[in-house]
Amino acid sequence: MKKLLLGLGILSMLSITAFGEDSYDNTGYDQFKAETNYDGNIGAATDSTGNKFGIGLGIGTYKSLYKGVGSKAYPIPMFDIKYDKFYVVGTNIGYELLNKDKFTMSLFVNPLDGYKVKGSDLSSGYKDIDNRDYQAMFGARLDMPTPIDGLRTGIAVSGGEHGYKGRVGLYKPYNLTPRFVLVPAVHMIYYSQDFTDYYFGIDSNETYPSRTANTGIRNSYSPDGAYSYGAILTGEYRFKDNMALTAFLGAEKYSSEITNSPIVSEDVIYTMGLGAKYYF
């Protein structure tokens, strides 16, 4: 219990630091950890009860989808906490309903899902759009083996105030040494029409001349449901029983429903990052 209280205290402090305004993006490592359910255990991460308390912080970089935002660096919370049936991985907080015979089913909430952007960050001619913000999304996840030896699949569906999304991923851990694991993964994500409309749609009152600063937006835009697909390579090295280094490199390709938006300029996003975790 002392470990839990200490872990939650540190979790709160790191959250305040890492989730400051414009400081966080939910791509890359966090998306992989939270939605594939790979726990990255190497060495002595758990205690005698099967609980674990891993907390860390990293830094990542990516180029934003939105026009004029460019490349950004952001802190990455690397929480890897399990206490009985409760867990915190990435920014997901969840509860395991089933963990048996390599099958895991759980319910979770992610308070920082979606894409955050301020109109003032966009290129000239687009700066007077309404801000888009993160949303809390609640969902369920199933993780299970496939008929191919060592290959696992993670399936997740979640929804919130601004729509829902579903994700299917495949991944396979390779334990190259007793302390080093490499995990390649691929996935596809579906975004509902409400989701894409909130983050990438344009209301008529955001167009020129309703807002004279938006000279680049002449027509409203209401996208249908969309999808993206991508791959990520994650590596973790446990250089001590209670300390690990993690690195990732990933890419995400978005469908035309998103990339045709007047405020979007990219169709492929690349992410990379590095961080460290401490287990106590």
Side-chain angles (χ1 to χ4, degrees):
M1 183 59 69
K2 289 182 179 179
K3 282 186 175 181
L4 176 63
L5 294 175
L6 179 58
L8 292 177
I10 296 175
L11 172 66
S12 300
M13 289 186 290
L14 288 177
S15 298
I16 293 171
T17 301
F19 302 155
E21 187 147 347
D22 297 327
S23 67
Y24 174 70
D25 185 83
N26 66 346
T27 55
Y29 174 85
D30 177 68
Q31 182 185 75
F32 172 77
K33 284 285 291 187
E35 297 188 34
T36 64
N37 201 35
Y38 173 63
D39 61 13
N41 283 340
I42 307 172
T46 60
D47 62 19
S48 58
T49 65
N51 298 325
K52 60 180 175 179
F53 304 87
I55 295 179
L57 194 63
I59 187 168
T61 182
Y62 77 108
K63 188 172 183 181
S64 174
L65 282 166
Y66 293 101
K67 284 186 175 179
V69 177
S71 297
K72 297 179 68 175
Y74 58 97
I76 307 168
M78 291 186 170
F79 304 133
D80 196 3
I81 299 172
K82 186 176 187 300
Y83 184 78
D84 195 13
K85 294 184 178 182
F86 293 92
Y87 64 85
V88 181
V89 286
T91 54
N92 278 15
I93 302 168
Y95 179 82
E96 288 184 349
L97 299 176
L98 173 68
N99 190 341
K100 186 177 181 181
D101 298 329
K102 298 184 179 180
F103 286 80
T104 303
M105 179 179 291
S106 62
L107 302 177
F108 66 90
V109 57
N110 184 347
L112 293 169
D113 214 322
Y115 301 85
K116 181 181 177 69
V117 68
K118 287 183 175 181
S120 58
D121 292 336
L122 270 62
S123 300
S124 178
Y126 304 88
K127 289 182 177 294
D128 200 21
I129 67 165
D130 296 332
N131 296 336
R132 276 66 169 170
D133 209 344
Y134 297 128
Q135 61 175 313
M137 297 188 74
F138 300 83
R141 184 179 70 214
L142 175 65
D143 180 83
M144 58 186 178
T146 70
I148 302 174
D149 183 44
L151 184 67
R152 297 182 62 80
T153 182
I155 303 170
V157 178
S158 59
E161 180 182 0
H162 303 296
Y164 68 89
K165 66 179 184 178
R167 184 183 191 281
V168 177
L170 292 168
Y171 64 100
K172 183 176 180 178
Y174 291 90
N175 292 292
L176 302 182
T177 75
R179 290 184 175 272
F180 179 61
V181 64
L182 197 62
V183 190
V186 295
H187 62 261
M188 177 171 283
I189 305 174
Y190 173 79
Y191 310 92
S192 73
Q193 183 175 8
D194 287 342
F195 187 99
T196 57
D197 190 54
Y198 175 71
Y199 288 107
F200 308 109
I202 296 294
D203 290 336
S204 58
N205 65 1
E206 293 179 292
T207 62
Y208 181 89
S210 296
R211 300 186 184 181
T212 56
N214 289 341
T215 55
I217 307 176
R218 301 288 173 160
N219 299 301
S220 60
Y221 182 67
S222 298
D224 294 327
Y227 65 90
S228 68
Y229 57 89
I232 186 168
L233 180 66
T234 305
E236 183 169 285
Y237 177 70
R238 184 68 61 84
F239 60 93
K240 291 185 178 180
D241 285 347
N242 61 347
M243 298 188 71
L245 291 175
T246 300
F248 68 87
L249 177 66
E252 193 83 14
K253 167 75 172 178
Y254 293 85
S255 66
S256 60
E257 292 83 3
I258 292 175
T259 60
N260 287 342
S261 169
I263 57 175
V264 170
S265 62
E266 304 292 332
D267 61 349
V268 179
I269 297 299
Y270 298 97
T271 60
M272 63 178 63
L274 178 69
K277 289 182 291 185
Y278 179 79
Y279 292 89
F280 56 95

